[in-house]
Amino acid sequence: METFETYQGWRGALVKRIRTEALPPEKFSHQARLYALTQEIAASFTEPVDDDVLFGATWVHDLGVFLGHRPSEPEALKRWNSTAYTVAHAGEVLRECGFPEEKIAAVIECIRTHEAYGEPTTVEGTILRDADLLEQLGAVAVMRTTAKIEQDTRFITFADAARSLDKALATVPPQIRLGKTKELAEPRIAALRSFLDSLQQESGGLLD
């Protein structure tokens, strides 16, 4: 089975490019997991889904959150729109990697609407949005959120991370739209709820 480490052609070039752009380094694996999730969700569709568009969108969608792309000043970072930045720069990255020119607009449209508040206009955009929501739940979400402590102005203490996870548990599941994604979300919701319950019990709320 082909993996992200063995992709050839423009896919291999894109993965290699994001490997260098994804900083801090732990942000790299989000793209690989996200693409795998989009494939799993797409397999439940009877209508055609463009896998090239999903691949391009998943691997480039977070360009604006990487160090070297996002601002370093705390006040500027608070106002930063990473999605707008990515929409403006994704085409250049895709072209440099040899991505099919005729599909670049579709990739950018997916990225434009991939946030939870987005309103996707294509099936690929809907799949990407739902897959990205899944990454905000479960054990992976715990790892991703705690990694932000002292890397992100919003996360200074364990309590900040716990509050963010609590918010995700309350707000993310209702935003999921596709039946397959809801199915995939169930064990992640249970895992995150169990973690937060244990965290509260063990810490007594003393996380600041």
Side-chain angles (χ1 to χ4, degrees), residues 25-108:
E26 78 272 359
K27 291 191 178 294
F28 174 79
S29 62
H30 170 55
Q31 280 65 229
R33 291 191 306 272
L34 191 61
Y35 176 61
L37 286 171
T38 64
Q39 287 189 301
E40 193 168 0
I41 297 168
S44 68
F45 277 69
T46 56
E47 62 188 284
V49 177
D50 194 321
D51 189 64
D52 288 346
V53 171
L54 286 177
F55 191 98
T58 55
W59 281 94
V60 181
H61 81 289
D62 261 355
L63 188 69
V65 307
F66 300 150
L67 295 177
H69 293 272
R70 73 188 192 199
S72 57
E73 292 296 323
E75 288 305 313
L77 189 57
K78 289 179 183 178
R79 300 187 298 272
W80 183 240
N81 186 327
S82 63
T83 297
Y85 176 92
T86 303
V87 165
H89 293 85
E92 177 185 355
V93 172
L94 292 166
R95 288 187 182 95
E96 290 175 357
C97 294
F99 186 85
E101 178 69 32
E102 68 275 12
K103 297 185 178 184
I104 289 178
V107 170
I108 292 173

XYZ file of all heavy atoms in Angstrom, residues 25-108:
661
model
N 7.520 20.889 14.185
C 7.473 19.636 13.423
C 6.277 18.745 13.696
O 5.867 17.983 12.814
C 8.783 18.932 13.848
C 9.687 20.035 14.273
C 8.801 21.063 14.911
N 5.691 18.819 14.914
C 4.569 17.924 15.205
C 3.335 18.249 14.364
O 2.400 17.448 14.282
C 4.211 17.961 16.697
C 3.418 19.160 17.151
C 4.289 20.345 17.547
O 5.538 20.225 17.481
O 3.731 21.398 17.917
N 3.341 19.414 13.717
C 2.198 19.779 12.888
C 2.157 19.003 11.571
O 1.126 18.950 10.908
C 2.198 21.285 12.619
C 1.899 22.115 13.855
C 1.652 23.572 13.518
C 1.301 24.372 14.766
N 0.012 23.957 15.352
N 3.262 18.383 11.192
C 3.316 17.683 9.912
C 2.316 16.537 9.830
O 1.607 16.375 8.837
C 4.735 17.146 9.662
C 4.847 16.281 8.441
C 4.918 16.838 7.177
C 4.867 14.892 8.550
C 5.009 16.050 6.042
C 4.959 14.085 7.424
C 5.031 14.668 6.178
N 2.254 15.718 10.882
C 1.452 14.493 10.804
C -0.042 14.759 10.699
O -0.808 13.872 10.289
C 1.737 13.591 12.008
O 1.393 14.231 13.216
N -0.485 15.968 11.060
C -1.907 16.305 10.930
C -2.376 16.140 9.494
O -3.471 15.636 9.232
C -2.135 17.737 11.413
C -3.492 18.294 11.114
N -4.659 17.673 11.505
C -3.869 19.435 10.456
C -5.700 18.396 11.112
N -5.249 19.458 10.461
N -1.531 16.536 8.538
C -1.899 16.435 7.128
C -2.084 14.981 6.702
O -3.040 14.636 5.993
C -0.835 17.100 6.249
C -0.915 18.611 6.171
C -0.642 19.314 7.488
O -1.396 20.189 7.895
N 0.431 18.945 8.176
N -1.160 14.112 7.119
C -1.256 12.693 6.750
C -2.507 12.054 7.345
O -3.222 11.300 6.662
C 0.001 11.954 7.228
N -2.779 12.342 8.620
C -3.986 11.785 9.252
C -5.243 12.326 8.589
O -6.225 11.600 8.373
C -4.006 12.122 10.748
C -2.951 11.418 11.580
C -3.228 11.601 13.065
N -3.366 12.999 13.442
C -2.359 13.790 13.801
N -1.105 13.313 13.815
N -2.563 15.057 14.140
N -5.227 13.610 8.263
C -6.404 14.239 7.673
C -6.724 13.625 6.312
O -7.885 13.342 6.007
C -6.180 15.745 7.547
C -7.404 16.584 7.188
C -8.478 16.458 8.257
C -6.996 18.054 7.010
N -5.690 13.397 5.511
C -5.931 12.773 4.201
C -6.509 11.376 4.364
O -7.452 10.989 3.657
C -4.646 12.736 3.377
C -4.824 12.007 2.066
C -5.740 12.459 1.122
C -4.095 10.852 1.788
C -5.928 11.783 -0.076
C -4.272 10.173 0.596
C -5.191 10.634 -0.337
O -5.375 9.965 -1.523
N -5.968 10.614 5.321
C -6.498 9.271 5.573
C -7.968 9.325 5.969
O -8.779 8.492 5.539
C -5.678 8.573 6.651
N -8.326 10.304 6.782
C -9.725 10.465 7.182
C -10.603 10.833 5.991
O -11.723 10.324 5.858
C -9.847 11.526 8.274
C -9.366 11.130 9.668
C -9.332 12.348 10.592
C -10.265 10.046 10.263
N -10.123 11.710 5.123
C -10.930 12.079 3.949
C -11.162 10.871 3.057
O -12.249 10.725 2.486
C -10.290 13.215 3.130
O -9.041 12.785 2.570
C -10.089 14.466 3.966
N -10.178 9.993 2.952
C -10.366 8.784 2.145
C -11.430 7.878 2.755
O -12.257 7.313 2.041
C -9.039 8.026 2.034
C -8.026 8.680 1.114
C -6.840 7.771 0.884
O -6.154 7.382 1.817
N -6.606 7.421 -0.359
N -11.388 7.755 4.079
C -12.352 6.896 4.757
C -13.768 7.444 4.606
O -14.720 6.696 4.373
C -11.978 6.766 6.236
C -12.702 5.678 6.977
C -12.127 5.379 8.335
O -11.134 6.031 8.733
O -12.671 4.490 9.017
N -13.900 8.757 4.739
C -15.219 9.380 4.588
C -15.689 9.299 3.135
O -16.845 8.965 2.848
C -15.183 10.841 5.064
C -14.855 10.896 6.562
C -16.520 11.527 4.792
C -14.509 12.301 7.063
N -14.791 9.581 2.197
C -15.143 9.578 0.780
C -15.598 8.209 0.312
O -16.444 8.098 -0.586
C -13.957 10.048 -0.056
N -15.067 7.143 0.918
C -15.435 5.783 0.517
C -16.911 5.479 0.772
O -17.467 4.545 0.188
C -14.564 4.769 1.256
N -17.552 6.289 1.627
C -18.972 6.081 1.915
C -19.880 6.769 0.901
O -21.104 6.594 0.956
C -19.297 6.599 3.322
O -19.195 8.024 3.383
N -19.309 7.526 -0.016
C -20.096 8.267 -1.003
C -20.364 7.410 -2.240
O -19.507 6.640 -2.677
C -19.346 9.533 -1.436
C -19.524 10.703 -0.509
C -18.970 10.682 0.770
C -20.244 11.819 -0.891
C -19.124 11.748 1.629
C -20.410 12.894 -0.038
C -19.855 12.858 1.226
N -21.540 7.559 -2.804
C -21.850 6.907 -4.073
C -21.519 7.821 -5.246
O -21.285 7.341 -6.357
C -23.339 6.520 -4.134
O -24.147 7.686 -3.920
C -23.661 5.485 -3.069
N -21.495 9.124 -5.007
C -21.150 10.073 -6.067
C -19.642 10.206 -6.187
O -18.898 9.916 -5.244
C -21.772 11.445 -5.775
C -21.284 12.090 -4.497
C -22.057 13.332 -4.142
O -21.810 14.373 -4.782
O -22.894 13.264 -3.221
N -19.144 10.640 -7.350
C -17.699 10.767 -7.548
C -17.076 11.797 -6.613
O -17.666 12.848 -6.347
C -17.589 11.214 -9.009
C -18.883 10.831 -9.645
C -19.911 10.965 -8.560
N -15.905 11.486 -6.104
C -15.127 12.396 -5.268
C -13.732 12.489 -5.872
O -13.112 11.459 -6.173
C -15.047 11.894 -3.809
C -14.171 12.821 -2.979
C -16.433 11.777 -3.195
N -13.223 13.689 -6.065
C -11.912 13.878 -6.681
C -10.820 13.744 -5.629
O -10.604 14.635 -4.810
C -11.842 15.258 -7.344
C -10.647 15.387 -8.281
O -9.568 14.875 -7.927
O -10.787 16.010 -9.347
N -10.103 12.619 -5.674
C -9.066 12.354 -4.676
C -7.878 13.294 -4.832
O -7.206 13.621 -3.853
C -8.602 10.903 -4.771
C -7.688 10.523 -3.621
O -8.146 10.536 -2.463
O -6.502 10.245 -3.880
N -7.592 13.745 -6.044
C -6.508 14.714 -6.237
C -6.804 16.004 -5.478
O -5.912 16.581 -4.832
C -6.324 15.039 -7.722
C -5.706 13.898 -8.514
O -5.173 12.953 -7.890
O -5.767 13.951 -9.757
N -8.044 16.448 -5.554
C -8.433 17.679 -4.857
C -8.333 17.482 -3.351
O -7.816 18.353 -2.630
C -9.863 18.104 -5.265
C -10.366 19.252 -4.391
C -9.889 18.509 -6.737
N -8.786 16.348 -2.848
C -8.682 16.069 -1.417
C -7.224 16.026 -0.973
O -6.866 16.561 0.083
C -9.364 14.749 -1.076
C -10.894 14.749 -1.072
C -11.412 13.339 -0.787
C -11.450 15.732 -0.042
N -6.383 15.387 -1.760
C -4.964 15.296 -1.403
C -4.337 16.682 -1.349
O -3.666 17.041 -0.374
C -4.227 14.415 -2.414
C -2.834 14.043 -1.979
C -2.600 12.823 -1.386
C -1.767 14.910 -2.172
C -1.311 12.462 -0.971
C -0.483 14.567 -1.770
C -0.260 13.333 -1.171
N -4.547 17.465 -2.404
C -3.973 18.804 -2.426
C -4.466 19.662 -1.287
O -3.683 20.366 -0.621
N -5.761 19.603 -1.011
C -6.343 20.443 0.039
C -5.866 20.027 1.425
O -5.548 20.880 2.257
C -7.870 20.376 -0.030
N -5.808 18.728 1.690
C -5.391 18.307 3.028
C -3.942 18.653 3.306
O -3.600 19.066 4.418
C -5.589 16.782 3.228
O -4.916 16.063 2.193
C -7.052 16.416 3.238
N -3.092 18.532 2.314
C -1.678 18.763 2.556
C -1.300 20.242 2.582
O -0.262 20.612 3.154
C -0.832 18.001 1.532
C -0.729 16.558 1.901
C -1.519 15.528 1.458
C 0.181 15.977 2.826
N -1.157 14.345 2.061
C -0.105 14.588 2.903
C 1.218 16.486 3.604
C 0.599 13.707 3.729
C 1.932 15.613 4.419
C 1.621 14.246 4.485
N -2.134 21.112 2.026
C -1.776 22.544 2.002
C -2.646 23.377 2.943
O -2.305 24.518 3.255
C -1.897 23.088 0.552
C -1.508 24.550 0.473
C -1.005 22.284 -0.388
N -3.727 22.837 3.471
C -4.750 23.649 4.140
C -4.264 24.426 5.348
O -4.853 25.442 5.711
C -5.930 22.771 4.551
C -5.704 22.009 5.828
N -4.831 20.944 5.927
C -6.226 22.181 7.072
C -4.829 20.493 7.163
N -5.667 21.215 7.881
N -3.185 23.977 6.003
C -2.722 24.641 7.221
C -1.464 25.470 7.017
O -0.775 25.810 7.991
C -2.466 23.599 8.321
C -3.624 23.498 9.301
O -4.576 24.292 9.188
O -3.573 22.629 10.189
N -1.151 25.821 5.796
C 0.066 26.590 5.521
C 0.161 27.825 6.406
O 1.231 28.171 6.918
C 0.092 26.991 4.041
C 1.375 27.639 3.530
C 2.510 26.627 3.510
C 1.148 28.212 2.120
N -0.948 28.496 6.618
C -0.959 29.747 7.366
C -0.770 29.608 8.862
O -0.642 30.627 9.559
N -0.741 28.378 9.388
C -0.511 28.201 10.832
C 0.929 27.819 11.135
O 1.308 27.731 12.307
C -1.465 27.147 11.447
C -2.904 27.471 11.117
C -1.103 25.742 11.001
N 1.737 27.589 10.102
C 3.113 27.171 10.322
C 4.008 28.366 10.663
O 3.832 29.468 10.123
C 3.682 26.482 9.075
C 2.934 25.250 8.655
C 2.889 24.878 7.324
C 2.285 24.449 9.585
C 2.214 23.738 6.917
C 1.596 23.307 9.197
C 1.561 22.947 7.859
N 4.978 28.120 11.544
C 5.992 29.131 11.822
C 6.708 29.488 10.521
O 6.989 28.622 9.693
C 7.015 28.598 12.830
C 6.499 28.292 14.241
C 7.623 27.692 15.088
C 5.939 29.541 14.901
N 6.988 30.764 10.357
C 7.565 31.227 9.105
C 6.515 31.750 8.148
O 6.835 32.450 7.185
N 5.265 31.421 8.416
C 4.145 31.941 7.636
C 3.259 32.815 8.519
O 2.884 33.914 8.113
C 3.324 30.793 7.041
C 4.068 30.016 5.998
N 4.069 30.366 4.667
C 4.866 28.928 6.101
C 4.814 29.517 3.976
N 5.307 28.631 4.832
N 2.925 32.341 9.705
C 2.124 33.137 10.626
C 3.027 34.189 11.294
O 4.247 34.004 11.397
C 1.483 32.249 11.687
C 2.459 31.730 12.719
C 1.819 30.712 13.629
N 2.645 30.428 14.786
C 2.531 29.343 15.556
N 1.610 28.435 15.267
N 3.318 29.157 16.596
N 2.459 35.306 11.753
C 3.267 36.334 12.429
C 3.776 35.838 13.774
O 3.160 34.977 14.407
C 2.294 37.507 12.589
C 0.938 36.889 12.537
C 1.044 35.702 11.632
N 4.904 36.388 14.198
C 5.481 35.995 15.482
C 5.066 36.921 16.616
O 5.116 36.534 17.787
C 7.012 35.966 15.383
O 7.512 37.228 14.962
N 4.639 38.133 16.283
C 4.222 39.073 17.315
C 2.878 38.656 17.900
O 1.926 38.409 17.154
C 4.104 40.488 16.737
C 5.430 41.111 16.333
C 6.337 41.324 17.527
O 5.816 41.681 18.613
O 7.554 41.113 17.389
N 2.768 38.567 19.239
C 1.525 38.094 19.869
C 0.276 38.855 19.446
O -0.769 38.245 19.185
C 1.802 38.273 21.366
C 3.280 38.154 21.486
C 3.828 38.793 20.248
N 0.352 40.179 19.367
C -0.833 40.962 19.006
C -1.242 40.707 17.561
O -2.432 40.613 17.248
C -0.579 42.449 19.247
C -0.533 42.839 20.707
C -1.793 42.420 21.458
O -2.893 42.673 20.943
O -1.670 41.820 22.536
N -0.254 40.597 16.680
C -0.562 40.299 15.276
C -1.130 38.893 15.133
O -2.028 38.649 14.323
C 0.697 40.454 14.435
N -0.617 37.978 15.948
C -1.092 36.599 15.889
C -2.555 36.487 16.307
O -3.314 35.687 15.754
C -0.216 35.718 16.778
C -0.416 34.200 16.678
C -0.215 33.717 15.242
C 0.525 33.481 17.622
N -2.964 37.324 17.266
C -4.352 37.307 17.707
C -5.303 37.689 16.577
O -6.448 37.247 16.539
C -4.544 38.269 18.885
C -3.909 37.804 20.184
C -4.122 38.827 21.279
C -3.441 38.420 22.579
N -3.600 39.452 23.636
N -4.838 38.525 15.665
C -5.683 38.998 14.554
C -5.481 38.183 13.277
O -6.111 38.470 12.256
C -5.376 40.475 14.267
C -5.621 41.411 15.442
C -5.453 42.864 15.028
N -4.094 43.152 14.570
C -3.097 43.526 15.358
N -3.294 43.656 16.662
N -1.895 43.778 14.857
N -4.609 37.209 13.332
C -4.200 36.477 12.142
C -5.315 35.597 11.586
O -5.976 34.869 12.317
C -2.997 35.608 12.485
C -2.380 34.835 11.359
C -2.246 33.475 11.279
C -1.775 35.357 10.169
N -1.602 33.117 10.124
C -1.312 34.252 9.414
C -1.602 36.640 9.670
C -0.669 34.405 8.192
C -0.963 36.805 8.447
C -0.511 35.691 7.728
N -5.513 35.677 10.282
C -6.474 34.813 9.583
C -5.666 33.818 8.758
O -5.272 34.101 7.624
C -7.393 35.644 8.698
C -8.507 34.814 8.073
O -8.331 33.637 7.774
N -9.664 35.415 7.868
N -5.410 32.651 9.346
C -4.553 31.676 8.680
C -5.185 31.129 7.405
O -4.474 30.826 6.437
C -4.210 30.532 9.638
O -5.380 29.839 10.024
N -6.499 31.006 7.397
C -7.167 30.475 6.207
C -7.055 31.443 5.037
O -6.788 31.033 3.900
C -8.642 30.160 6.510
O -8.703 29.134 7.507
C -9.369 29.683 5.263
N -7.244 32.730 5.288
C -7.110 33.722 4.219
C -5.692 33.706 3.646
O -5.497 33.800 2.426
C -7.457 35.105 4.749
N -4.713 33.578 4.522
C -3.315 33.503 4.071
C -3.109 32.275 3.187
O -2.491 32.355 2.114
C -2.381 33.452 5.275
C -0.918 33.270 4.911
C -0.091 34.372 4.725
C -0.373 31.993 4.751
C 1.241 34.200 4.378
C 0.951 31.817 4.402
C 1.761 32.924 4.221
O 3.086 32.756 3.875
N -3.630 31.137 3.646
C -3.450 29.904 2.890
C -4.136 29.982 1.531
O -3.567 29.557 0.515
C -3.983 28.704 3.685
O -3.325 28.652 4.952
C -3.739 27.409 2.943
N -5.339 30.524 1.508
C -6.042 30.697 0.236
C -5.215 31.533 -0.735
O -5.159 31.242 -1.938
C -7.425 31.336 0.481
C -8.028 31.862 -0.824
C -8.376 30.327 1.124
N -4.551 32.553 -0.220
C -3.758 33.445 -1.071
C -2.472 32.796 -1.576
O -1.957 33.188 -2.631
C -3.422 34.722 -0.304
N -1.941 31.816 -0.854
C -0.626 31.263 -1.187
C -0.651 29.799 -1.628
O 0.367 29.287 -2.100
C 0.315 31.406 0.013
C 0.665 32.826 0.332
N -0.137 33.624 1.112
C 1.716 33.593 -0.035
C 0.415 34.829 1.218
N 1.528 34.835 0.533
N -1.783 29.133 -1.477
C -1.838 27.702 -1.802
C -1.550 27.435 -3.272
O -0.858 26.463 -3.612
C -3.210 27.137 -1.426
N -2.070 28.259 -4.147
C -1.876 28.043 -5.571
C -0.414 28.019 -5.955
O 0.025 27.157 -6.738
N 0.362 28.930 -5.396
C 1.789 28.992 -5.697
C 2.495 27.710 -5.267
O 3.302 27.140 -6.017
C 2.402 30.196 -4.977
C 3.901 30.323 -5.147
C 4.469 31.467 -4.317
O 3.682 32.192 -3.692
O 5.704 31.607 -4.303
N 2.195 27.253 -4.063
C 2.815 26.021 -3.559
C 2.431 24.831 -4.433
O 3.279 24.006 -4.805
C 2.404 25.766 -2.093
C 2.888 24.396 -1.623
C 2.957 26.858 -1.186
N 1.165 24.721 -4.765
C 0.695 23.604 -5.592
C 1.359 23.610 -6.962
O 1.796 22.558 -7.466
C -0.824 23.662 -5.726
C -1.622 23.380 -4.450
C -3.077 23.789 -4.627
C -1.528 21.910 -4.058
N 1.454 24.762 -7.572
C 2.083 24.853 -8.898
C 3.546 24.455 -8.838
O 4.051 23.756 -9.724
C 1.943 26.276 -9.444
C 0.539 26.641 -9.863
C 0.473 27.991 -10.546
N -0.919 28.303 -10.870
C -1.719 29.031 -10.084
N -1.256 29.534 -8.930
N -2.971 29.246 -10.437
N 4.249 24.905 -7.808
C 5.666 24.576 -7.671
C 5.891 23.077 -7.517
O 6.961 22.568 -7.857
C 6.261 25.329 -6.484
C 6.388 26.826 -6.728
C 6.860 27.582 -5.492
O 7.022 26.939 -4.430
O 7.065 28.803 -5.600
N 4.873 22.378 -7.010
C 4.983 20.927 -6.815
C 4.447 20.137 -8.002
O 4.476 18.899 -7.983
C 4.250 20.516 -5.540
S 5.010 21.165 -4.025
N 3.960 20.838 -9.024
C 3.467 20.162 -10.216
C 2.037 19.688 -10.141
O 1.603 18.843 -10.940
N 1.254 20.221 -9.182
C -0.147 19.831 -9.052
C -0.912 20.235 -10.314
O -0.640 21.281 -10.907
C -0.753 20.530 -7.827
C -2.159 20.109 -7.497
C -2.393 18.996 -6.717
C -3.247 20.827 -7.981
C -3.696 18.593 -6.412
C -4.545 20.442 -7.680
C -4.762 19.322 -6.900
N -1.891 19.423 -10.745
C -2.656 19.740 -11.968
C -3.298 21.132 -11.907
O -4.102 21.415 -11.014
C -3.721 18.643 -12.011
C -3.117 17.500 -11.261
C -2.306 18.121 -10.164
N -2.942 21.963 -12.841
C -3.393 23.359 -12.846
C -4.909 23.462 -12.845
O -5.489 24.323 -12.162
C -2.831 24.077 -14.074
C -3.261 25.522 -14.226
C -2.663 26.439 -13.166
O -1.539 26.171 -12.720
O -3.322 27.439 -12.802
N -5.578 22.587 -13.581
C -7.025 22.697 -13.736
C -7.795 22.361 -12.451
O -8.995 22.627 -12.368
C -7.504 21.776 -14.866
C -7.387 20.292 -14.598
C -6.011 19.713 -14.923
O -5.071 20.500 -15.150
O -5.900 18.468 -14.958
N -7.100 21.827 -11.446
C -7.759 21.465 -10.197
C -7.396 22.385 -9.030
O -7.900 22.212 -7.916
C -7.426 20.019 -9.821
C -7.922 19.001 -10.838
C -7.686 17.568 -10.371
C -8.236 16.574 -11.403
N -8.109 15.170 -10.930
N -6.530 23.357 -9.283
C -6.076 24.235 -8.202
C -7.224 25.046 -7.623
O -7.345 25.197 -6.402
C -4.931 25.152 -8.686
C -3.664 24.312 -8.899
C -4.673 26.282 -7.688
C -2.475 25.097 -9.423
N -8.101 25.556 -8.462
C -9.229 26.357 -7.975
C -10.116 25.533 -7.041
O -10.608 26.047 -6.024
C -10.048 26.893 -9.143
N -10.313 24.262 -7.354
C -11.141 23.400 -6.510
C -10.480 23.160 -5.154
O -11.160 23.110 -4.117
C -11.401 22.070 -7.210
N -9.162 23.025 -5.149
C -8.429 22.865 -3.884
C -8.580 24.113 -3.028
O -8.872 24.032 -1.821
C -6.938 22.581 -4.150
C -6.136 22.662 -2.846
C -6.760 21.215 -4.785
N -8.387 25.262 -3.628
C -8.488 26.518 -2.893
C -9.893 26.710 -2.334
O -10.066 27.193 -1.209
C -8.069 27.695 -3.798
C -6.570 27.604 -4.101
C -8.403 29.031 -3.152
C -6.074 28.609 -5.106
